[in-house]
Amino acid sequence: MAETQWSAESAPPAVLSPVPGTLVRVVDAVKHFPAGVRTTVKAVDGVSFEIREGETLGLVGESGCGKSTLGRLVCQLLPVTSGQIFFEGEDLTRLRGEKLRQKRRQVQIIFQDPYASLDPRMTVGDIIAEPLVNFGVVRGKAKDKRVQELLRVVGLNPYFNNRYPHEFSGGQRQRIGIARALALNPKLIICDEPISALDVSIQAQIINLLEDLQKEFHLTYLFIAHDLSVVRHISDRVMVMYLGKAVEIADSEAIYTTPRHPYTKALLSAIPVPDPRIESKRRLIELSGEIPSPVNPPSGCHFHTRCPIAVVPGVCSEVDPPLEEKGPDHVAACHFSEKVATEV
C-alpha cells in the first residue's frame, strides 16, 4: 500500500460544518493557564464540536484531559484564550456585561461535588431561588411556590425548602443542584460529572431523573463523565478527549462498535462486562507509559507516546492529525484510523 504523504501545511483545519438544529458550536477553543514564568498549562488545545438541540453529547476522557475546563468554557464561567463559542448562532466570547449575563439564563451547570457546590449557610429554598432573585423573575409568594415546584420536580419534599444542605444525603444534595439549574428554564445544561461522587444505586436514580427532565422540559445536555457504560446509556453522541484535544466524535452506538481512534479503543476495552464467561475472553488494551504533561505535550499526535500502532519516528510524532470525517457523522483524529477499525 502506498505511503500517505502528510504535512502540517496540508492538514485541513479541525472545524466541523454546522448542522441544522445546532444549539452550540465550538470552533477551535483554546484555554491556557499560566503556570510560572513563561510556562502555560494547555488545558484545552484547539477543540471543535457541536451540540444539537435536544440531544445529549457525552464527553469522556482520563482525568486531566480538559473535560471540565471545556464545560466551563461553553457556559463562559472561564474565558477562552482563543476560539469561538456560538450559542444559538451568537458568539458568546464576544459578549460582555449584561448581554452575556442574559445569555447565561439559557446555559446552566450541575457541578460534580454536591457537598461543595451548595452554600452551607443558605437554606435550600434560598439556594434554588438565588437565580430567580438575581434575574428578577419572580418575588414573594410566587418565588416560594416556584421553589416548591422545583423541589417536587426533582423528587424531593416541597416543604424541605427551609432546611440546610447538611441535613441531606449526597443524592438529595445533587437533586437540589439539579433544581437550581432548572430554575431559569435553560435550554442547555452542562452536567459536570454529576454522579461521580454518589453511590452506584443513587447514580442510577440521578441518571433516570436527568432523562425524565430532558423529555419533560426539552433540555439539551453536555454530559461529562468517566463511566463509559453510563455515557453509552444516556448519550446520543460521544466525544472523546485526550490531553486537551478531541480525538473522536461519533454516534453513541457507532463509537462503541466501530471506534476509529486507538485511545477510544483502549478506553472501551476497560469497561467491565457483568458476565464471567465473556469477561474472561476479553482482551484489555494496556497503554504504555505515563500521560504526558499538558505543560509540554508531545509533538505531532499527542497520543503517539502511548499508542500501540504509532509510527515513531514518522508521521505520528511529526504531524498533528486533523479531526476529519471517517464515516457518516463520525470524525476522528488519527492517521491510521482504518487500521484501528479493521482490528476491532
Side-chain angles (χ1 to χ4, degrees), residues 3-41:
E3 183 179 352
T4 304
Q5 298 297 320
W6 298 88
S7 68
E9 291 76 11
S10 62
V15 177
L16 303 178
S17 300
V19 173
T22 297
L23 182 67
V24 176
R25 188 162 66 95
V26 177
V27 181
D28 203 23
V30 173
K31 181 60 181 178
H32 293 172
F33 294 99
V37 180
R38 298 180 182 178
T39 306
T40 59
V41 175

Side-chain angles (χ1 to χ4, degrees), residues 20-328:
T22 297
L23 182 67
V24 176
R25 188 162 66 95
V26 177
V27 181
D28 203 23
V30 173
K31 181 60 181 178
H32 293 172
F33 294 99
V37 180
R38 298 180 182 178
T39 306
T40 59
V41 175
K42 299 176 181 178
V44 177
D45 197 17
V47 175
S48 297
F49 67 97
E50 62 190 23
I51 307 174
R52 299 161 192 169
E53 193 167 357
E55 79 165 353
T56 298
L57 176 65
L59 177 55
V60 299
E62 293 171 298
S63 295
C65 71
K67 304 186 302 296
S68 294
T69 301
L70 183 59
R72 283 163 169 74
L73 293 180
V74 172
C75 61
Q76 285 295 282
L77 286 180
L78 291 173
V80 298
T81 301
S82 64
Q84 297 172 294
I85 298 173
F86 295 94
F87 179 78
E88 295 184 318
E90 190 167 9
D91 189 356
L92 299 182
T93 63
R94 295 182 177 272
L95 299 182
R96 299 290 184 273
E98 185 62 21
K99 288 185 177 180
L100 178 59
R101 181 173 175 271
Q102 290 301 323
K103 274 294 180 183
R104 284 202 177 110
R105 293 184 60 170
Q106 301 298 323
V107 185
Q108 296 293 309
I109 185 169
I110 302 169
F111 293 99
Q112 177 178 355
D113 188 351
Y115 293 89
S117 61
L118 304 180
D119 191 332
R121 298 166 298 179
M122 297 174 66
T123 65
V124 167
D126 289 339
I127 289 171
I128 297 175
E130 188 173 23
L132 299 173
V133 173
N134 287 343
F135 284 91
V137 178
V138 290
R139 297 185 184 278
K141 292 184 177 180
K143 180 191 70 175
D144 296 335
K145 185 177 179 181
R146 174 63 174 161
V147 169
Q148 292 181 337
E149 177 190 353
L150 288 166
L151 285 171
R152 189 181 296 109
V153 163
V154 298
L156 294 176
N157 190 319
Y159 298 104
F160 284 175
N161 59 326
N162 290 322
R163 296 189 179 185
Y164 287 86
H166 73 269
E167 300 179 68
F168 295 90
S169 66
Q172 289 174 323
R173 291 186 188 206
Q174 198 60 291
R175 290 175 185 267
I176 295 167
I178 294 172
R180 178 177 58 185
L182 290 172
L184 295 172
N185 295 317
K187 294 183 178 180
L188 173 69
I189 295 182
I190 312 295
C191 304
D192 186 10
E193 301 192 40
I195 61 171
S196 63
L198 307 177
D199 293 337
V200 175
S201 59
I202 305 301
Q203 288 181 5
Q205 295 177 19
I206 298 299
I207 289 297
N208 291 334
L209 173 62
L210 289 172
E211 290 184 320
D212 292 341
L213 293 174
Q214 185 175 36
K215 294 175 183 176
E216 183 176 354
F217 298 106
H218 309 289
L219 299 170
T220 302
Y221 291 148
L222 173 60
F223 190 87
I224 303 170
H226 282 101
D227 193 331
L228 288 167
S229 58
V230 171
V231 170
R232 182 176 190 175
H233 173 73
I234 196 173
S235 302
D236 299 297
R237 291 187 303 131
V238 178
M239 178 168 71
V240 182
M241 282 189 70
Y242 181 80
L243 206 63
K245 287 183 174 289
V247 297
E248 188 164 5
I249 309 172
D251 175 83
S252 178
E253 193 61 32
I255 210 165
Y256 281 84
T257 56
T258 55
R260 306 299 292 268
H261 194 282
Y263 178 62
T264 306
K265 188 177 176 182
L267 290 179
L268 294 175
S269 76
I271 302 176
V273 177
D275 186 328
R277 292 173 298 177
I278 298 176
E279 184 67 22
S280 63
K281 298 177 182 178
R282 297 174 71 238
R283 181 172 62 91
L284 176 65
I285 301 175
E286 297 184 8
L287 300 178
S288 61
E290 298 293 329
I291 303 174
S293 170
V295 174
N296 186 27
S299 60
C301 175
H302 285 2
F303 186 59
H304 84 262
T305 58
R306 305 173 70 199
C307 182
I309 64 170
V311 176
V312 181
V315 61
C316 295
S317 60
E318 296 172 2
V319 180
D320 187 12
L323 191 66
E324 58 186 5
E325 189 173 356
K326 305 296 182 180

